[in-house]
Amino acid sequence: MRARLAWALSLAVALLLGSVHAQEPATSVISDIRQESADDSTRLVVVSNGPLTYTYYSPDPLTLIVDLPDVDIAKVPSKLNVGTTEVESLRVTPMARGEGRTLARLEVRLARRVPYSIYSKDRTLNLVFERVAEARNAAPAAKGAAPAAPAPAPVADGAAAPAEPKAQVVVASTAEPLAGSPGETVIVPGPHVKASRILSVTHQEENGQLAVTVKADGRVRYQDFFLGNPDRLVIDLKDVASGKMRTIDVKSEPVNRVRLNQFSDTPRVARVVLDLSRRMPYRVLDTADGLKVVFGEGESAAPAPLAALRSDAAEPDSAPVADPLGAPASLASAPVLAAPVPAPDPQTGAGETFEPKTVGPGEKKYTGHPISLDFKDGDLQDIFRLFADISGLNVVVNPGVSGKVTLKLNEVPWDQALDLILKTNSLGYTLEDNVIRIAPLSALQREEQERAKLQHEKDLAGDLITWRKPLSYAKADALEPTVKKVALSERGVITLDSRTNTMIITDLPNYLEKAKDLILDLDRATPQVEIEARIVVTTRNFTRDLGIQWGFMNQMTPRFGNTTGMNYPNSLILNGGGVQSDSGLSPQQIGSLSTESGIGVDGRGYAVNLPATAVNSAIGLSTANLAGNFNLDVALTALESRGRGRILSTPKVTTQNNQEAEIKQGIQIAVTNFSPAQGNMVTFKDVVLTLRVTPQITEAGTVILGLSVENNSADFSRSVNGVPPINIQSVKTQVLVIDGSTAVIGGIYQQTEQAARNQTPLFGDLPIVGYLFRNKTLRNENTELLVFITPRIVKG
């Protein structure tokens, strides 16, 4: 792959170096080329009077070409025999670039595949060829000894380069080529004259196959290669003049036309280009007076790296030239797209294939053939011409694109290399079919803006037409801004008839079609949703209240025949009940004993008075002796209550998609407010059950609900100035619910526990006996609020 690509680069470099329009004299003079040998390498040093700009490539594994533009080589010999284990020889050749400019070509012939490096230092150019391990070990023994295998013979001045391996030898025996069988050699009698000019190009059908014949005044040495985008077969004829440019229309599968032109004057190269309508296998045959291209045989045509230049045609009895790798090479043509020998890798010396890959997410994917470039202050115009030959695309460079670029790239896809050069110089490109145009980014942006402006003006040109549409579901005034913004042009006008809900549009035909499609898409029945809420309030309460009351009286008085027998105290009264209230009694009666006894008698007191707070059950005991001077009253009171309550509210409402709906039920409470300026003012406060909801139907058939639920009630038992407080129960949320499913959107659970005990100090804490001196109250209350929601999409 690299060998064929390198040959294309050599032709491209020769072309671009000859493309400079202004005459520039040589700026550097090579004064010496010397050899420096070491134990591990061979170094060739090119000495000049100034910095050297160079480009290098390898047309085959054992040849290195270094081109030096604008260099004078008159002071150095044309050939240097090196004779080391790495390098056989160095040939220096002057070449004309046109416009009086020169090009010096250094052709290094290698003795074997070795890694090499090229660099410039001060006023020298260094070519370093490293010695591989086995050659380094064998070097001492090789001195004075015959080599184990014959080295490739050096190429003499004017001789042809070694040919690639061929499958067979086919030499024409007459003016027309004869197709021999595989392995067959056809001998041609008579002299063999080297061609100097092209006489004609013809085409004909042979056995149902198209053949294109290039007729010359002798045998030709040629190189053929294939280019894609568009498909072309190119044949370069060395040391041949083509005369004036000619184009021959063929229009027979697979060739549309044949073009003949003088590709280069120094060295002289004629180029034949066959423009193909489709790819087809082909092969090229030598003839005694030119060559013939036959389609339908050989290997399939496809863009591929370029093959090495074929050697001159030799005499029939000449032996084949040895290939550098030991494979025999023929002197005639075989199918041209046989796999070439890969070029040496600078590091390993082995060939490798190129597989384009994406560098990273979002980055470009480069698929071009890998190339190596080394330029110092290279002219942009010349470099773009080089890429034209590499890519096979036609390249047009805008006027004003100029500059210099310095780069060194090794095995980089050619499209990536071109992209890097464009970015570095703030350039961009446009691609139209097989023509790439390079221009400054500012120019391309300006062109794009002008093109968009021109297209916009074209779009606004034309006659206006009017269309009216009565809307069925949407409101015309609500739809107007959307249609005007999305579908209409600057000339478009919308008129509304609110009475019939009709939209009248005047605009250009293509914009009017957009407006029609948009209106038909938006003017559709809006789906409806039925939302049902359930508000459940449950209460549970439990109350237990136990109490005790008891009292006694013991009289030891003379009245009952019971005296102390003492003057003082003569009588004792032990009263375990409270005294009477002094309400309604005379002063003489205050402090006297209660004349009445028994439970429940008004004004009667007890020694321990701890009844139940709310009594619904009681039992009493009242006892006395026969004398009546001692009595005992006891009363037990108790209360226990249990309660359960449940309130269920079910508001339900139906609304359109994305439309808010509200439903409420309850009372209004009058509230009086006083102000000095207006006096008493009566306002009304809503105490209602409210459901407020906005549904949104999704593409998945679910419903998004924006909800607000309130369940308020008035507590008249705690009214203040006739105005009761309001118990508030509410929830506000947004939920996603499946159509027809029920979801719990909120809940409150409230529990109240209360325990109370009243007792007589000290006595109430006594074990067992303490029950006579205390009461006990226990209250538990549970309240639970749950809110359920169920949306249903109304269908049909």
Side-chain angles (χ1 to χ4, degrees):
M1 178 184 293
R2 294 181 181 174
R4 294 189 173 186
L5 179 60
W7 189 88
L9 288 176
S10 67
L11 294 179
V13 169
L15 176 62
L16 73 89
L17 292 177
S19 64
V20 181
H21 301 292
Q23 180 173 350
E24 297 180 6
T27 57
S28 300
V29 177
I30 296 180
S31 58
D32 186 23
I33 300 179
R34 64 176 182 267
Q35 169 191 348
E36 297 177 359
S37 298
D39 292 337
D40 59 351
S41 65
T42 297
R43 182 188 303 269
L44 300 179
V45 182
V46 181
V47 183
S48 69
N49 64 344
L52 294 175
T53 300
Y54 63 93
T55 303
Y56 68 92
Y57 50 92
S58 297
D60 63 69
L62 296 181
T63 303
L64 173 64
I65 301 295
V66 181
D67 287 336
L68 307 173
D70 300 326
V71 171
D72 185 3
I73 58 174
K75 296 182 179 181
V76 296
S78 61
K79 186 174 182 181
L80 175 65
N81 291 319
V82 181
T84 65
T85 57
E86 294 82 36
V87 181
E88 288 184 354
S89 62
L90 169 65
R91 181 188 301 166
V92 184
T93 306
M95 304 183 70
R97 299 173 60 194
E99 299 289 341
R101 302 178 66 179
T102 60
L103 173 72
R105 172 164 294 176
L106 308 182
E107 182 177 348
V108 182
R109 186 65 181 173
L110 303 179
R112 60 190 304 164
R113 287 183 174 180
V114 293
Y116 62 86
S117 61
I118 303 175
Y119 64 92
S120 59
K121 182 179 181 182
D122 299 330
R123 298 181 179 181
T124 63
L125 178 66
N126 297 264
L127 289 72
V128 181
F129 303 89
E130 299 179 9
R131 185 166 301 164
V132 295
E134 59 269 18
R136 189 181 305 121
N137 297 332
K143 292 182 180 179
V155 180
D157 292 338
E164 289 186 357
K166 302 292 184 285
Q168 63 182 18
V169 178
V170 181
V171 181
S173 59
T174 62
E176 295 295 328
L178 300 179
S181 301
E184 176 184 0
T185 302
V186 183
I187 306 299
V188 181
H192 302 278
V193 180
K194 189 175 180 180
S196 62
R197 63 190 180 92
I198 302 295
L199 301 179
S200 65
V201 178
T202 59
H203 61 91
Q204 59 276 343
E205 295 283 342
E206 297 180 357
N207 300 324
Q209 296 175 332
L210 176 65
V212 178
T213 303
V214 179
K215 194 174 185 64
D217 58 355
R219 288 193 175 276
V220 295
R221 183 159 63 100
Y222 66 92
Q223 165 65 41
D224 59 280
F225 54 92
F226 189 88
L227 297 177
N229 194 24
D231 294 338
R232 290 157 291 165
L233 175 61
V234 181
I235 303 174
D236 285 343
L237 309 174
K238 188 175 181 181
D239 299 328
V240 175
S242 65
K244 65 179 182 178
M245 180 177 179
R246 282 172 282 177
T247 301
I248 299 96
D249 291 329
V250 179
K251 296 182 179 179
S252 178
E253 290 292 334
V255 181
N256 288 331
R257 62 178 179 173
V258 179
R259 292 176 286 149
L260 175 64
N261 191 20
Q262 193 69 38
F263 178 72
S264 175
D265 292 328
T266 307
R268 189 166 57 176
V269 177
R271 172 167 286 186
V272 180
V273 180
L274 289 78
D275 295 327
L276 305 180
S277 60
R278 64 184 180 91
R279 300 181 184 183
M280 179 182 289
Y282 71 92
R283 64 172 177 157
V284 183
L285 303 176
D286 283 328
T287 66
D289 54 354
L291 56 85
K292 178 182 292 187
V293 183
V294 180
F295 290 90
E297 301 177 2
E299 297 188 11
S300 298
L306 307 179
L309 186 64
R310 288 183 173 83
S311 63
D312 288 319
E315 299 297 328
D317 53 352
S318 300
V321 179
D323 180 75
L325 298 181
S330 73
L331 304 179
S333 174
V336 299
L337 292 181
V341 178
D345 185 272
Q347 300 297 327
T348 64
E352 63 179 1
T353 58
F354 170 75
E355 294 182 1
K357 60 183 69 176
T358 301
V359 180
E363 298 186 16
K364 292 183 179 180
K365 182 178 181 181
Y366 299 103
T367 59
H369 295 297
I371 62 173
S372 296
L373 297 175
D374 192 343
F375 288 105
K376 182 178 180 182
D377 294 332
D379 187 84
L380 279 177
Q381 298 278 353
D382 293 344
I383 292 175
F384 291 146
R385 295 189 65 182
L386 168 64
F387 279 102
D389 291 317
I390 294 173
S391 64
L393 297 173
N394 299 312
V395 176
V396 177
V397 181
N398 265 30
V401 174
S402 61
K404 302 290 184 179
V405 63
T406 299
L407 58 88
K408 184 172 184 179
L409 300 175
N410 185 31
E411 293 299 299
V412 176
W414 69 261
D415 48 354
Q416 184 180 8
L418 177 60
D419 195 26
L420 290 173
I421 294 173
L422 294 176
K423 289 179 180 178
T424 303
N425 292 273
S426 299
L427 300 175
Y429 70 91
T430 60
L431 183 63
E432 300 177 5
D433 295 331
N434 66 328
V435 179
I436 181 172
R437 184 170 67 89
I438 298 174
L441 290 174
S442 58
L444 294 177
Q445 183 179 9
R446 184 172 58 255
E447 291 176 5
E448 188 64 28
Q449 293 174 349
E450 293 175 353
R451 185 181 300 108
K453 182 178 179 181
L454 178 61
Q455 184 63 40
H456 181 66
E457 292 176 353
K458 289 182 179 179
D459 293 342
L460 293 181
D463 297 331
L464 301 177
I465 59 176
T466 300
W467 176 75
R468 63 181 182 86
K469 171 64 176 177
L471 303 183
S472 300
Y473 304 100
K475 293 293 183 181
D477 54 351
L479 197 58
E480 177 189 10
T482 302
V483 176
K484 183 176 294 185
K485 183 177 180 180
V486 175
L488 297 190
S489 69
E490 297 175 3
R491 301 176 61 187
V493 177
I494 297 180
T495 303
L496 302 180
D497 181 14
S498 57
R499 184 180 61 85
T500 59
N501 197 33
T502 299
M503 183 176 290
I504 304 170
I505 304 176
T506 302
D507 206 345
L508 297 168
N510 53 338
Y511 288 95
L512 201 58
E513 290 300 322
K514 292 172 57 179
K516 289 180 181 180
D517 295 339
L518 180 61
I519 292 173
L520 292 177
D521 186 53
L522 297 180
D523 186 29
R524 294 183 297 178
T526 304
Q528 296 188 128
V529 183
E530 178 189 79
I531 302 97
E532 179 181 352
R534 293 188 179 184
I535 306 169
V536 181
V537 181
T538 61
T539 59
R540 295 182 182 181
N541 58 73
F542 171 79
T543 302
R544 175 177 292 170
D545 199 349
L546 300 175
I548 187 169
Q549 293 172 292
W550 61 269
F552 66 93
M553 178 178 289
N554 184 22
Q555 302 182 60
M556 292 183 293
T557 62
R559 174 185 173 188
F560 293 100
N562 189 358
T563 179
T564 62
M566 299 174 64
N567 293 327
Y568 181 84
N570 182 261
S571 62
L572 293 175
I573 298 176
L574 182 62
N575 192 355
V579 297
Q580 274 186 309
S581 170
D582 57 1
S583 176
L585 299 179
S586 64
Q588 292 78 12
Q589 293 176 320
I590 296 175
S592 63
L593 297 177
S594 175
T595 58
E596 297 179 354
S597 62
I599 297 173
V601 177
D602 292 339
R604 181 69 176 175
Y606 297 95
V608 176
N609 188 22
L610 297 173
T613 303
V615 179
N616 63 3
S617 301
I619 184 172
L621 175 65
S622 181
T623 63
N625 58 7
L626 293 175
N629 65 337
F630 177 82
N631 56 44
L632 174 66
D633 296 330
V634 178
L636 297 177
T637 58
L639 169 70
E640 181 172 313
S641 66
R642 301 172 184 266
R644 298 181 62 182
R646 178 184 177 189
I647 301 174
L648 175 62
S649 304
T650 309
K652 182 186 298 184
V653 66
T654 301
T655 183
Q656 289 186 337
N657 187 31
N658 292 314
Q659 296 295 320
E660 184 182 75
E662 181 182 64
I663 186 172
K664 61 175 64 175
Q665 182 267 333
I667 63 174
Q668 287 186 330
I669 298 176
V671 179
T672 303
N673 296 319
F674 175 79
S675 67
Q678 298 179 349
N680 291 331
M681 296 181 59
V682 179
T683 60
F684 291 89
K685 175 69 175 178
D686 288 341
V687 182
V688 295
L689 168 66
T690 305
L691 171 63
R692 187 180 297 108
V693 61
T694 302
Q696 177 184 341
I697 302 174
T698 68
E699 291 294 332
T702 57
V703 183
I704 299 175
L705 298 174
L707 284 168
S708 177
V709 180
E710 295 183 3
N711 185 26
N712 301 334
S713 60
D715 187 357
F716 290 96
S717 64
R718 294 183 289 172
S719 299
V720 178
N721 296 326
V723 180
I726 299 174
N727 296 324
I728 297 177
Q729 297 173 335
S730 66
V731 60
K732 185 176 183 180
T733 185
Q734 180 169 310
V735 294
L736 175 65
V737 187
I738 300 175
D739 177 28
S741 299
T742 299
V744 180
I745 64 170
I748 298 175
Y749 180 79
Q750 188 174 13
Q751 182 177 9
T752 302
E753 293 185 1
Q754 203 172 30
R757 188 170 79 172
N758 298 316
Q759 67 179 24
T760 302
L762 299 179
F763 293 97
D765 296 326
L766 295 176
I768 302 176
V769 179
Y771 287 106
L772 298 176
F773 297 92
R774 63 176 181 249
N775 68 359
K776 184 177 181 181
T777 302
L778 177 66
R779 289 188 177 88
N780 289 333
E781 184 174 352
N782 297 330
T783 303
E784 187 173 8
L785 169 67
L786 292 176
V787 181
F788 301 85
I789 197 74
T790 304
R792 297 182 181 88
I793 300 176
V794 179
K795 301 177 182 178

